[in-house]
Amino acid sequence: MKRKTILIIGFTWPEPATTAAGNRMVQLICFFLGQGYHITFGSTAKETEYSLNLESLGVDKTVLVLNDSSFDVFIKELNPNIVLFDRFLTEEQFGWRVAEFSPNALRILDTEDLHSLRHVREKAQKAKKKFSPTLWKKDAMTKREAASIYRCDLSLIISDYEVKLLEEVLNVNTDLLWNLPFMLEPIDNQKVREWPKFDDRKDIVCIGNGKHAPNVDALQWLVQEIWPLIRKELLEVHLKIYGAYLPQKLQQMHNPEKGLWVEGWAEDIDATVQNAKLVLAPLRFGAGIKGKLITAMQNGTPSITTSIGAEGMHGAYAWPGRIVDSAKQIAQAAITMYQNTAEWESAQNRGKELVNTFYNQERLSLQLGSRLQEIQKDLEKHRSDNFIGAMLMHHTLVSTKYMAKWIEAKNRKV
């Protein structure tokens, strides 16, 4: 009997210690290992000091080359049951090759977040325009990302808001989408007892990878407009900023005299967050699930964020902290919660409830496993029902394919 195999094509090598996307990928790897799959992970990117040791999980690694027929030989020999594309960009690069040289493989797209949504919101923010679904629908990146979704057999969408956007604005068939938030282990009572109590915690933290534009904007807004308002009322409190790859302009904001500490990457982010009284995430644009807010919940630390920050992250459940959108509101919420034991403890309890229900690993894993089996039972019918996907795949095979082959031939001549 042929063993079950999956090829994951990563846009980058997973960095769970620095990015939410890295944590998401580790969760998917653990899911497929639990389903009995042998995993091969490939990427065209370079590894970094923060890259996960995949071999320690029993995952094979391979370096992929763009616009090169070596991939065709590789995937034909691997003959995987499933190919998972990490973000739509990898599907654009390798999707047609997978379809041609491993046609029976179930093609899954993990969007991480809708890149087009984040992209359009960033443009609107810079242009000082109000974001609207119509604006998003018109953008070229939205068309590219939607095309990738149609070309795949199933797309994993991390936010229920994004599922709704795809279904209601673009009329994407619900059979092609699967809402899969983070899959988290439950928080038990023993763990709660080990958390530092309200009176044992101090300071406010903000976490953000410096390569992620929404984080850089949020940190600048926090330092320039929000923190001065908080500092006026909480003179003894420090704001500590953590994150890998912080740009120089943020590092230069380090100013202990004003209670502002730019600490950079935190080796033990759980301990750091557990000892803080609050997490701030003043995001003005972005998409998907925010890892910093998940980390706050997992460590019993209430968070204050914006509507964008909390979007798609709590379903019908109450937020474990406050959701407010102006600098003044964020500052006031932080001041109040920092000093109010009852409100703080209530928020902490809501965070535990959210992790144990909305993000329940066991429930989400069972549901995803069942959906994948359902599609694999009759993949041919599933694809025949997706006419738009078939049409787009035909277009891809007669345009993107030959562009890639032209680049490949050109590279051989150099």
Side-chain angles (χ1 to χ4, degrees):
M1 183 178 176
K2 179 181 178 293
R3 68 175 179 176
K4 296 193 295 185
T5 58
I6 178 172
L7 170 65
I8 300 176
I9 304 178
F11 183 67
T12 61
W13 297 96
E15 292 187 9
T18 69
T19 67
N23 276 300
R24 163 69 156 197
M25 183 51 67
V26 171
Q27 291 164 19
L28 289 173
I29 287 171
C30 290
F31 165 78
F32 283 108
L33 289 173
Q35 296 285 309
Y37 281 85
H38 180 81
I39 301 175
T40 299
F41 192 102
S43 179
T44 62
K46 290 183 179 180
E47 293 190 70
T48 74
E49 60 182 309
Y50 302 117
S51 296
L52 178 67
N53 182 352
L54 289 166
E55 293 97 330
S56 68
L57 298 175
V59 175
D60 290 342
K61 289 168 52 179
T62 186
V63 175
L64 303 179
V65 181
L66 279 175
N67 303 311
D68 194 287
S69 60
S70 61
F71 180 85
D72 309 341
V73 177
F74 161 72
I75 196 167
K76 201 167 185 178
E77 290 178 352
L78 185 66
N79 190 25
N81 301 90
I82 296 175
V83 175
L84 187 146
F85 302 102
D86 169 32
R87 294 166 248 205
F88 84 94
L89 298 162
T90 63
E91 190 281 332
E92 285 186 330
Q93 295 161 344
F94 292 99
W96 71 267
R97 292 184 184 274
V98 172
E100 183 165 335
F101 295 98
S102 188
N104 295 321
L106 178 69
R107 298 189 297 272
I108 301 175
L109 171 63
D110 182 40
T111 57
E112 295 286 359
D113 60 30
L114 285 182
H115 284 42
S116 55
L117 178 60
R118 172 158 43 91
H119 167 72
V120 173
R121 280 176 167 166
E122 181 178 0
K123 288 203 304 184
Q125 172 72 20
K126 289 180 177 178
K128 296 183 178 180
K129 290 182 180 178
K130 185 177 180 179
F131 169 81
S132 71
T134 301
L135 203 61
W136 170 70
K137 188 176 181 179
K138 290 179 179 179
D139 196 83
M141 187 179 286
T142 305
K143 296 176 177 65
R144 287 172 56 194
E145 193 162 26
S148 285
I149 288 170
Y150 273 112
R151 285 193 296 263
C152 289
D153 300 308
L154 188 69
S155 289
L156 307 179
I157 312 298
I158 207 164
S159 156
D160 55 9
Y161 172 82
E162 293 174 9
V163 171
K164 185 177 179 181
L165 203 61
L166 290 166
E167 290 179 346
E168 296 184 1
V169 178
L170 300 187
N171 297 314
V172 176
N173 189 328
T174 186
D175 287 342
L176 300 177
L177 308 174
W178 191 256
N179 180 205
L180 185 71
F182 274 20
M183 297 181 282
L184 306 178
E185 293 183 1
I187 300 170
D188 59 30
N189 291 332
Q190 177 59 35
K191 186 175 286 186
V192 173
R193 284 193 289 269
E194 293 171 357
W195 285 340
K197 305 301 181 188
F198 177 86
D199 290 334
D200 298 325
R201 299 185 184 222
K202 64 177 184 178
D203 298 332
I204 296 171
V205 301
C206 186
I207 310 161
N209 185 303
K211 287 184 177 180
H212 195 55
N215 289 337
V216 174
D217 175 77
L219 290 171
Q220 288 179 299
W221 188 37
L222 173 60
V223 170
Q224 294 168 358
E225 297 186 38
I226 301 169
W227 178 243
L229 298 175
I230 298 173
R231 180 71 171 169
K232 282 181 182 179
E233 300 295 325
L234 302 176
L235 288 172
E236 303 303 316
V237 176
H238 295 160
L239 171 64
K240 296 187 175 180
I241 293 173
Y242 295 90
Y245 310 114
L246 293 179
Q248 191 66 28
K249 62 184 177 182
L250 283 175
Q251 293 180 38
Q252 290 173 344
M253 292 179 175
H254 180 80
N255 191 338
E257 289 185 5
K258 294 184 178 180
L260 178 61
W261 302 73
V262 181
E263 303 282 17
W265 180 65
E267 187 170 351
D268 189 344
I269 194 62
D270 289 321
T272 298
V273 172
Q274 274 188 33
N275 286 295
K277 194 164 279 188
L278 292 177
V279 167
L280 294 189
L283 294 155
R284 294 193 285 189
F285 61 90
I289 284 177
K290 291 65 175 188
K292 57 185 74 60
L293 296 172
I294 293 291
T295 300
M297 295 178 209
Q298 290 178 306
N299 289 285
T301 309
S303 59
I304 295 165
T305 190
T306 59
S307 301
I308 292 290
E311 179 185 272
M313 286 195 63
H314 60 111
Y317 294 89
W319 184 253
R322 297 268 197 99
I323 301 172
V324 285
D325 286 310
S326 72
K328 186 176 180 181
Q329 289 172 326
I330 293 169
Q332 189 56 57
I335 292 164
T336 301
M337 188 166 288
Y338 195 92
Q339 301 175 100
N340 189 316
T341 307
E343 183 179 354
W344 188 92
E345 289 178 346
S346 176
Q348 183 184 73
N349 290 332
R350 294 198 298 273
K352 176 192 172 186
E353 181 186 17
L354 202 52
V355 169
N356 291 353
T357 52
F358 192 77
Y359 296 100
N360 186 279
Q361 181 186 63
E362 183 178 1
R363 174 182 62 83
L364 293 168
S365 295
L366 285 172
Q367 291 173 345
L368 176 60
S370 176
R371 180 59 181 144
L372 295 181
Q373 286 182 3
E374 185 181 352
I375 296 173
Q376 287 172 315
K377 278 182 183 177
D378 198 346
L379 183 57
E380 186 176 347
K381 182 180 184 305
H382 181 77
R383 287 178 175 170
S384 70
D385 291 341
N386 179 19
F387 178 77
I388 293 176
M391 180 175 63
L392 287 167
M393 185 59 72
H394 171 77
H395 170 73
T396 301
L397 289 174
V398 298
S399 59
T400 309
K401 171 180 177 178
Y402 291 106
M403 173 60 76
K405 285 183 173 292
W406 177 80
I407 295 171
E408 185 179 336
K410 183 173 177 287
N411 288 342
R412 282 200 296 267
K413 293 177 182 179
V414 175

